């Protein structure tokens, strides 16, 4: 098996798959906050848009959609990485220093996946690549 050819062929494609899946998961957080879907356990209505939770919902909904499409990936991913770092330290870290206990493991993972996408770009299956003529 030629692992160099395999990695050359599949690494960029799997970057696109990682981006799409991370974007879909992130988008789901935004739809839950802003649109009530899927419904939250314990109910609760949509947050005020002019609040930290409302702003987070907008970033998750719009940013998640842009990440899925691979449009403006680098700047959007950088912004979302920062959002997740702030979310972790504001909402999760005060509860416990251990991510498995404070519920912040997803925020940390999103933070570093988005930081990677900010550096690596969207991959070949993206609107960014299509805009550059490399689809």
């Amino acid at each position: 098996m030629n692992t160099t050819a395999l990695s050359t062929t599949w690494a960029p494609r799997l970057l696109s798959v990682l981006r799409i899946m991370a974007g879909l998961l992130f988008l789901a957080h935004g739809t839950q906050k802003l649109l009530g879907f899927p419904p939250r356990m314990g109910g609760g209505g949509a947050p005020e848009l002019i609040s930290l939770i409302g702003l987070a919902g907008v970033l998750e909904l719009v940013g998640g959609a842009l990440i899925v499409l691979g449009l403006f990936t680098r700047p959007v991913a950088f912004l979302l990485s920062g959002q997740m770092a702030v979310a972790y330290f504001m909402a999760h870290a005060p509860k416990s220093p251990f991510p498995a206990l404070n519920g912040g493991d997803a925020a940390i993972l999103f933070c570093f996946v988005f930081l990677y996408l900010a550096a690596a770009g969207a991959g070949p299956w993206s609107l960014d690549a299509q805009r550059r003529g490399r689809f």
Side-chain angles (χ1 to χ4, degrees), residues 66-111:
L66 289 171
I67 292 292
V68 169
L69 296 171
L71 184 62
F72 309 119
T73 302
R74 289 177 193 269
V76 170
F78 186 74
L79 177 69
L80 297 180
S81 176
Q83 177 202 358
M84 288 293 93
V86 169
Y88 180 78
F89 286 108
M90 285 184 70
H92 299 286
K95 295 176 188 175
S96 168
F98 304 105
L101 298 178
N102 67 26
D105 41 358
I108 293 170
L109 192 55
F110 275 125
C111 178

Side-chain angles (χ1 to χ4, degrees), residues 14 30 33 42 46 53 55 65-66 82 85 94 96 107 109 113 120 122-123 129-130 132:
L14 290 175
K33 282 184 182 78
I53 298 294
L55 176 60
L66 289 171
S96 168
L109 192 55
V113 167
Q130 191 173 26
R132 289 185 187 87

Side-chain angles (χ1 to χ4, degrees), residues 10-132:
W10 283 100
R13 294 174 183 169
L14 290 175
L15 170 61
S16 292
V17 171
L18 173 68
R19 174 188 48 79
I20 292 165
M21 290 310 301
L24 286 171
L25 290 170
F26 205 66
L27 179 63
H29 286 277
T31 61
Q32 185 177 45
K33 282 184 182 78
L34 297 180
L35 307 175
F37 182 80
R40 290 180 170 186
M41 293 181 69
E48 295 288 329
L49 284 179
I50 308 300
S51 68
L52 283 177
I53 298 294
L55 176 60
V58 169
L59 287 172
E60 291 163 2
L61 186 70
V62 175
L66 289 171
I67 292 292
V68 169
L69 296 171
L71 184 62
F72 309 119
T73 302
R74 289 177 193 269
V76 170
F78 186 74
L79 177 69
L80 297 180
S81 176
Q83 177 202 358
M84 288 293 93
V86 169
Y88 180 78
F89 286 108
M90 285 184 70
H92 299 286
K95 295 176 188 175
S96 168
F98 304 105
L101 298 178
N102 67 26
D105 41 358
I108 293 170
L109 192 55
F110 275 125
C111 178
F112 283 95
V113 167
F114 289 142
L115 189 60
Y116 174 68
L117 291 175
W125 298 337
S126 66
L127 292 178
D128 286 344
Q130 191 173 26
R131 284 180 31 232
R132 289 185 187 87

